[in-house]
Amino acid sequence: LPDHRPRPTHPRTGSRRTPEQTVTLREHRLDVYPVTLHAAYSRDEWAALRDTIDSLPESEARGVTSRDALPDEHGDDACHVSILIQTLYGPRDVIDSIAHEAVHAAGAIFEHVGEDNIKPWSEPHAYLVGFIASWLWEGLPDGWDHNAQGSHP
């Protein structure tokens, strides 16, 4: 069977970085919930992540969040939440995408652990959204232009 565990390397170059970006594909295993987060900041990085998590959707959107089950080292299904944040746009749109996708990711995590009745205004939801948004912000590529004027259509 093919190995579906996420790889931290770019499939074409073997590098931890894509030629177009100076950021490493990010991965983080949450301490509180049995979930691994993945972040991509360009279409190329999303494509690289799709090479390892083949259930991820193709997307041209500014942001995407996907929850997928992949076999772990014991053959059990492990939850992976993958997030695409396109950095082609201006800072307002990137911040909007980070907040938007962090809310989706938190909802997917709570649904995975059987807590899909947690209200979006509750403290657990707010803390998880804040953590995910901060983690996504910290992973923005080196040299990303925080002063760009681009905007989504």
Side-chain angles (χ1 to χ4, degrees):
L1 293 172
D3 183 1
H4 289 287
R5 289 176 295 176
R7 296 183 310 261
T9 58
H10 192 278
R12 291 183 294 275
T13 65
S15 168
R16 291 182 61 88
R17 302 178 188 278
T18 65
E20 298 78 18
Q21 298 283 344
T22 59
V23 70
T24 301
L25 286 173
R26 288 179 55 95
E27 180 178 308
H28 178 74
R29 176 78 175 164
L30 293 175
D31 296 329
V32 178
Y33 302 106
V35 174
T36 300
L37 295 175
H38 304 275
Y41 296 92
S42 70
R43 289 183 185 130
D44 286 341
E45 286 185 2
W46 189 250
L49 195 53
R50 287 186 69 237
D51 285 346
T52 59
I53 305 175
D54 56 5
S55 53
L56 291 178
E58 289 187 34
S59 181
E60 299 293 319
R62 285 189 303 142
V64 175
T65 298
S66 179
R67 186 183 83 187
D68 302 276
L70 301 173
D72 63 14
E73 63 274 5
H74 306 293
D76 299 322
D77 280 344
C79 182
H80 293 260
V81 174
S82 303
I83 305 164
L84 167 64
I85 301 294
Q86 293 272 11
T87 57
L88 302 173
Y89 304 96
R92 180 174 291 159
D93 294 320
V94 171
I95 290 167
D96 176 64
S97 293
I98 286 173
H100 182 99
E101 298 308 326
V103 169
H104 284 308
I109 291 166
F110 285 130
E111 186 177 63
H112 170 71
V113 298
E115 295 290 343
D116 48 342
N117 60 342
I118 286 186
K119 305 291 186 222
W121 55 84
S122 70
E123 288 299 303
H125 190 268
Y127 279 115
L128 186 55
V129 167
F131 172 82
I132 294 168
S134 294
W135 181 76
L136 290 167
W137 179 261
E138 290 166 2
L140 285 170
D142 294 337
W144 176 67
D145 186 0
H146 291 27
N147 296 312
Q149 298 300 311
S151 182
H152 64 82

